[in-house]
């Protein structure tokens, strides 16, 4: 005998459909449990779907009383008022079906939540099956060009199916239900870090580390070292703490990132490593670092002429395929986008640019922020400063970021006034100009060893209100 052809109807769970309706007739108060959990669209049988919809309407019209009345008379009355096809329940077959549901001996009221779970799973499988058919049609469409936008749409659809199956509600939730237990838990286990460390102790004190769902922006003039700073945070995450890092670069190749990483971790100048003229001690050091870093969870990709869809698709694949999700939240990871700027394809004055630069940068920032909030991962990015010392081109970058950090070189006069020992007091200042949830902005003194691409927190911190006389 051949296998039965799979269809959406084969994936129905009619037993759970009938059991849910039977439980509701026997104990109408159960509607409270299923009202926000399942929809009439989860039912495949049209009569079952109509009946569940009518039960919900009765519940709503009763002003959500705990004991609504679900009898045949109410069903017929509601179906007439709301133009629901009631021909089935007006007839003898409908009356008999309703009566059978009311006395069904196989229905166990205590198992109501299990029936709901089974129905949701069946509904999810049908939606997944339908999405598979849609993907098949889409992939065979000769009009389909670059598939990246289609892939992004598919990811969103699959995420929605997943969210529905686990019961994520789009309705407002009562926020303070667990207030006491949450506060007691935090008081019992206080922590300086809201997420994981940036690698700079003083910076962690100011911003609480890199928290899930938050966007952190490092802004600086060209050549000051914003990429070096975020790379130092990346190295701390994947090398010291084994946290997966995705580094999306708009300018740096795999080779550049590779040699910078070996230089930082071995403390040998990048140019010497590239040339290969090293003494025995240096050779042993970089070989040791190379062995230690070989299995590190560090992922890099260089993108040119990118679109927001390209970037978000890369991030989604990294989260779903490499990092994984738990309770609709990404497992520990760090995503870096270096940096927010106008895509190369829109940079030419001769190109047909429809949006203004500020609108494009705002759109990119908003899209990245929304994705970080949705999947719950920290996003670290960089931006240019303009001549006025503000984040260039778009107020949206500053508006949507949870934290803005501005990196500046100290002037020779300031370095001199602080004793001239840059290794001790630093040659740069990292100013926290915005940090949501904190009234303490402050700054961190940084020593930047440019040849080795290394940034250290200066041994002596000058305080949060020290002003460079030449700034």
């Amino acid at each position: 005998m051949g296998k039965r052809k799979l269809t959406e109807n084969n994936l129905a769970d009619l037993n759970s459909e009938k059991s849910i309706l039977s439980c509701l007739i026997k104990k109408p108060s159960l509607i409270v449990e299923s009202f926000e959990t399942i929809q009439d669209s989860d039912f495949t049988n049209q009569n079952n779907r109509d009946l569940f919809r009518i039960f919900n309407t009765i519940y709503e019209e009763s002003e959500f009383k705990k004991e609504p009345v679900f009898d045949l008379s109410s069903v017929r009355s509601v179906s007439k008022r709301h133009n629901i096809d009631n021909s089935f329940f007006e007839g003898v077959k409908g009356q008999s079906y309703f009566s059978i549901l009311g006395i069904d001996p196989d229905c166990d009221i205590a198992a109501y939540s299990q029936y709901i779970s089974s129905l949701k799973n069946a509904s999810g499988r049908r939606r997944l099956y339908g999405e598979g058919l849609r993907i098949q049609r889409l992939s065979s469409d000769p009009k389909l060009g670059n598939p990246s936008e289609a892939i992004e749409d598919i990811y969103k659809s699959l995420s929605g199916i997943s969210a529905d199956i686990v019961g994520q509600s789009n309705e407002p939730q009562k926020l303070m239900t667990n207030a006491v237990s949450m506060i007691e838990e935090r008081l019992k286990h206080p922590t300086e870090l809201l997420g994981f460390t940036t690698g700079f102790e003083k910076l962690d004190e100011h911003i609480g580390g890199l928290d899930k769902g938050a966007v952190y922006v490092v802004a600086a003039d060209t050549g000051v070292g914003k990429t070096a700073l975020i790379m130092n945070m990346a190295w701390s995450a994947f090398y010291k703490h084994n946290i997966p890092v995705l580094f999306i670069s708009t300018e740096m190749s795999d080779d550049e990132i590779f040699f910078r990483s070996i230089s930082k971790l071995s403390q040998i100048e990048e140019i010497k490593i590239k040339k290969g003229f090293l003494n025995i001690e240096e050779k042993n050091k970089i070989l040791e670092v190379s062995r230690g870093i070989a299995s590190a969870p560090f992922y890099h990709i260089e993108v040119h002429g990118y679109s927001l869809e390209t970037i978000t698709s890369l991030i989604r694949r990294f989260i779903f395929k490499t990092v994984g999700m738990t309770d609709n939240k990404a497992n520990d990871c760090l995503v870096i986008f270096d940096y927010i700027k106008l895509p190369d394809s829109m940079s030419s004055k001769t190109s047909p640019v429809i949006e203004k630069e500020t609108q494009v940068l705002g759109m990119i920032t908003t899209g990245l922020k929304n994705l970080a909030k949705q999947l719950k991962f920290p996003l670290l990015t960089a931006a240019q400063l303009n001549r006025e010392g503000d984040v260039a081109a778009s107020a949206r970058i500053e508006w949507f970021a949870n934290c803005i950090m501005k990196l500046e070189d100290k002037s020779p006069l300031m370095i001199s006034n602080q004793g001239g020992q840059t290794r001790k007091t630093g040659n740069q200042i990292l100013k926290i100009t915005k940090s949501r949830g904190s009234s303490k902005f402050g700054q961190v003194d940084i020593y930047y060893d440019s040849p080795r691409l290394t940034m250290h927190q200066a041994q002596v911190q000058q305080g949060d209100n020290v002003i460079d006389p030449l700034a």
Side-chain angles (χ1 to χ4, degrees):
M1 177 181 277
K3 290 185 178 180
R4 183 175 59 171
K5 184 179 179 181
L6 183 65
T7 66
E8 289 191 55
N9 289 334
N10 297 151
L11 298 171
D13 187 354
L14 294 177
N15 289 332
S16 291
E17 291 184 21
K18 291 179 180 179
S19 295
I20 288 171
L21 295 173
S22 180
C23 286
L24 289 174
I25 294 172
K26 293 178 179 179
K27 188 175 180 180
S29 62
L30 290 173
I31 192 71
V32 177
E33 184 177 339
S34 58
F35 185 74
E36 296 291 348
T37 310
I38 53 177
Q39 309 294 327
D40 58 285
S41 58
D42 291 321
F43 291 76
T44 54
N45 179 277
Q46 186 62 52
N47 295 325
N48 293 340
R49 184 182 300 173
D50 289 341
L51 190 55
F52 185 74
R53 179 183 170 192
I54 292 169
F55 284 172
N56 275 345
T57 303
I58 293 172
Y59 180 50
E60 290 174 342
E61 291 185 348
S62 72
E63 297 181 349
F64 305 105
K65 291 180 180 178
K66 291 185 177 180
E67 288 288 348
V69 178
F70 296 149
D71 57 23
L72 190 57
S73 175
S74 300
V75 168
R76 290 171 172 173
S77 175
V78 167
S79 61
K80 287 180 180 179
R81 290 201 310 273
H82 292 273
N83 297 317
I84 300 172
D85 183 9
N86 68 337
S87 57
F88 178 75
F89 293 105
E90 286 288 347
V92 176
K93 288 185 178 179
Q95 182 176 349
S96 175
Y97 183 65
F98 192 91
S99 298
I100 290 172
L101 288 176
I103 60 172
D104 183 3
D106 295 327
C107 168
D108 181 3
I109 291 177
Y112 188 65
S113 60
Q114 296 177 23
Y115 299 145
I116 291 176
S117 178
S118 295
L119 184 64
K120 288 296 293 183
N121 287 338
S123 177
R125 288 194 297 271
R126 290 196 307 277
R127 289 176 62 188
L128 191 61
Y129 176 79
E131 184 65 18
L133 294 178
R134 187 175 78 91
I135 293 171
Q136 189 177 39
R137 290 192 300 269
L138 192 63
S139 61
S140 60
D141 186 349
K143 296 180 181 179
L144 180 66
N146 188 330
S148 61
E149 291 188 10
I151 292 171
E152 175 68 11
D153 177 60
I154 291 166
Y155 271 128
K156 288 179 181 178
S157 179
L158 293 176
S159 296
I161 294 173
S162 175
D164 287 344
I165 291 174
V166 299
Q168 179 174 302
S169 175
N170 290 323
E171 297 297 323
Q173 302 297 307
K174 190 174 181 182
L175 184 62
M176 300 302 177
T177 303
N178 300 318
V180 174
S181 61
M182 290 177 68
I183 293 299
E184 286 179 343
E185 179 68 18
R186 182 46 52 93
L187 294 176
K188 186 178 179 181
H189 302 287
T191 177
E192 292 288 345
L193 291 175
L194 301 177
F196 51 83
T197 180
T198 62
F200 298 88
E201 183 180 352
K202 189 69 175 179
L203 180 58
D204 287 341
E205 290 179 11
H206 286 300
I207 68 173
L210 301 173
D211 198 8
K212 291 190 172 186
V215 175
Y216 301 85
V217 178
V218 175
D221 291 327
T222 302
V224 171
K226 55 184 177 292
T227 297
L229 179 60
I230 62 178
M231 286 186 68
N232 272 263
M233 295 184 190
W235 290 322
S236 172
F238 78 78
Y239 190 67
K240 292 184 178 180
H241 302 284
N242 203 41
I243 294 171
V245 174
L246 172 62
F247 196 116
I248 303 172
S249 175
T250 60
E251 295 183 345
M252 298 182 68
S253 67
D254 287 351
D255 281 352
E256 289 176 289
I257 295 290
F258 172 78
F259 283 109
R260 285 191 171 203
S261 298
I262 299 298
S263 174
K264 151 70 181 176
L265 299 173
S266 67
Q267 289 298 284
I268 299 171
E269 291 185 21
E270 181 184 5
I271 188 64
K272 292 183 67 176
I273 298 174
K274 284 183 174 180
K275 289 182 176 180
F277 294 113
L278 306 171
N279 60 38
I280 295 298
E281 183 180 351
E282 291 170 334
K283 288 179 181 179
N284 290 335
K285 183 63 177 177
I286 64 168
L287 285 172
E288 178 186 351
V289 167
S290 299
R291 294 187 189 100
I293 206 173
S295 60
F298 182 51
Y299 303 82
H300 173 260
I301 186 168
E302 182 183 13
V303 294
H304 295 288
Y306 67 88
S307 64
L308 176 60
E309 289 74 20
T310 302
I311 301 305
T312 54
S313 292
L314 284 171
I315 295 172
R316 286 180 186 275
R317 288 199 298 273
F318 172 69
I319 298 293
F320 294 147
K321 183 178 179 180
T322 304
V323 175
M325 303 276 288
T326 302
D327 296 331
N328 276 335
K329 297 178 183 179
N331 296 328
D332 283 347
C333 66
L334 173 62
V335 175
I336 296 173
F337 179 56
D338 184 30
Y339 61 97
I340 298 176
K341 66 172 184 175
L342 202 64
D344 295 340
S345 59
M346 301 183 67
S347 297
S348 172
K349 293 182 180 179
T350 60
S351 64
V353 180
I354 299 175
E355 299 93 345
K356 294 181 180 179
E357 181 179 3
T358 54
Q359 293 174 318
V360 176
L361 297 184
M363 178 186 68
I364 293 170
T365 306
T366 305
L368 292 174
K369 169 72 173 181
N370 290 341
L371 186 60
K373 287 178 64 178
Q374 178 192 0
L375 299 183
K376 297 293 187 295
F377 62 86
L379 176 73
L380 180 60
T381 186
Q384 290 283 109
L385 288 177
N386 60 23
R387 293 178 180 177
E388 290 74 36
D390 298 320
V391 177
S394 179
R396 279 200 192 181
I397 296 177
E398 293 202 10
W399 177 258
F400 282 100
N402 296 78
C403 177
I404 300 282
M405 298 168 277
K406 295 182 180 180
L407 184 65
E408 302 174 358
D409 286 328
K410 291 183 178 181
S411 70
L413 179 57
M414 186 177 196
I415 291 174
S416 177
N417 289 344
Q418 293 178 354
Q421 300 181 41
T422 55
R423 287 182 176 272
K424 186 176 181 180
T425 59
N427 52 10
Q428 291 186 326
I429 299 175
L430 182 63
K431 296 180 178 179
I432 298 94
T433 61
K434 175 185 177 181
S435 182
R436 288 185 182 173
S438 174
S439 59
K440 181 182 177 184
F441 293 162
Q443 61 189 42
V444 181
D445 291 273
I446 300 286
Y447 172 65
Y448 179 26
D449 182 357
S450 180
R452 296 170 181 80
L453 303 163
T454 298
M455 288 186 168
H456 297 292
Q457 177 178 301
Q459 297 174 19
V460 178
Q461 294 294 309
Q462 302 299 315
D464 295 333
N465 299 305
V466 177
I467 299 175
D468 191 330
L470 294 184

